[in-house]
Amino acid sequence: MHDLSLYLLDIIENSVRAGATRISVGVTVERAADSLEITVEDDGPGLPVTPHEALDPFFTTKKGKKTGLGLSLFRQAAEAAGGGLSVGRSADLGGAFVRAWMGLGNVDRPPLGDVAASIFTMVATNPEVDFVVDLADGDKRTSLRGSELPQRLPALVAYQEALT
Amino acid sequence: MADKITSPDQLLARAQKAQADLDLRQGRKDTQVTVHMGTCGIAAGARDVVATFMTELSAAGVTSASLHQTGCAGLCEEEPMATITLADGTMYRYGLLDKDKVHTIVTDHLVGGTPVDAYLIKT
């Protein structure tokens, strides 16, 4: 994967494939703490396996496959950048919860990439899913949701450009 | 592949175009274009393939097809892939896609009605 936006896209795809109808994405930057955090949570059925199994690259819930690389690759990238990745149950939506964190200024942190394109792709091809995107850069917070998302994506572009 | 969005104006233009073409992605049409977006597909460039299909379908005025995404089809070496499903259930699976191939598929297959044999996955 070239950048974080592709890992994010992969995690969102997991939620869609699990049958989620509400998906909440969060990108949070705390410059003072040198922290970048990405979260995805949904109202799907939740992880059918233990968190340990979910992060095992040789474990997958997909029939006919022997590997499940998405979460483990994301974890590897986050750990390489001084962070980590955890999975569990969403307290707000009841489904799966994925949280990745890493050092904002860590030299091994992948670039943020085109988060707007990842969000736009999933919104455009899954009109039945209610997406919410919450962005935070210190005290500056932006929330994009539902049908207004395509028109408000420029706010997301401005956010990601500020981090480049 | 599709140009990267480098300014809010560019994205807004794309978003407005997508809104105008809302019909393209509402419900399932007679013809379904499904881009495979498992981990392998995403790593190979599936996101740009979706964007290119969106642009090309719109530019060609195709209103009888809807655009969807799904996961890995188990042919990771053929990613990025897309499956075109016709009303009668006939499926055409295209692999190793790029911007030019998507243009040809939209023009020849979805508009012209002739599958692009050279890009079909042979299994």
Side-chain angles (χ1 to χ4, degrees), chain A residues 22-24 39-44 88-97 132 134:
Chain A
R22 293 177 65 200
I23 299 174
S24 179
T39 59
V40 176
E41 52 190 312
D42 64 47
D43 68 346
R89 176 163 289 277
S90 166
D92 293 334
L93 299 179
F97 178 82
V132 175
D134 290 309

Side-chain angles (χ1 to χ4, degrees), chain B residues 84 94 97 101-110 116 119:
Chain B
I84 293 177
Y94 290 104
L97 295 177
K101 289 179 180 176
V102 169
H103 172 77
T104 303
I105 290 165
V106 170
T107 304
D108 291 3
H109 193 171
L110 296 176
V116 187
Y119 304 155

Side-chain angles (χ1 to χ4, degrees), chain A:
Chain A
M1 299 277 192
H2 300 300
D3 57 52
L4 294 174
S5 72
L6 295 177
Y7 292 106
L8 174 63
L9 180 61
D10 196 17
I11 304 305
I12 297 173
E13 202 280 331
N14 282 348
S15 291
V16 170
R17 185 167 42 81
T21 58
R22 293 177 65 200
I23 299 174
S24 179
V25 177
V27 183
T28 303
V29 165
E30 290 291 348
R31 294 174 189 270
D34 188 35
S35 162
L36 169 63
E37 180 180 282
I38 295 174
T39 59
V40 176
E41 52 190 312
D42 64 47
D43 68 346
L47 291 167
V49 297
T50 66
H52 178 74
E53 287 174 321
L55 295 172
D56 180 349
F58 297 105
F59 188 92
T60 180
T61 58
K62 295 176 186 173
K63 290 178 182 174
K65 291 192 71 184
K66 293 180 179 175
T67 56
L69 297 176
L71 280 171
S72 53
L73 285 173
F74 198 5
R75 180 177 69 165
Q76 186 180 44
E79 289 179 346
L85 183 144
S86 65
V87 297
R89 176 163 289 277
S90 166
D92 293 334
L93 299 179
F97 178 82
V98 177
R99 171 178 172 258
W101 66 96
M102 59 204 80
L104 178 65
N106 191 298
V107 293
D108 289 319
R109 176 179 69 79
L112 189 61
D114 203 343
V115 173
S118 288
I119 299 291
F120 182 67
T121 297
M122 296 311 283
V123 169
T125 54
N126 299 282
E128 70 283 4
V129 176
D130 182 21
F131 287 93
V132 175
V133 181
D134 290 309
L135 311 169
D137 188 349
D139 293 336
K140 211 164 105 180
R141 294 176 185 276
T142 306
S143 186
L144 318 174
R145 55 193 64 227
S147 57
E148 65 167 12
L149 239 168
Q151 294 298 330
R152 294 207 54 214
L153 280 175
L156 181 47
V157 172
Y159 176 82
Q160 68 192 25
E161 284 186 340
L163 295 175
T164 307

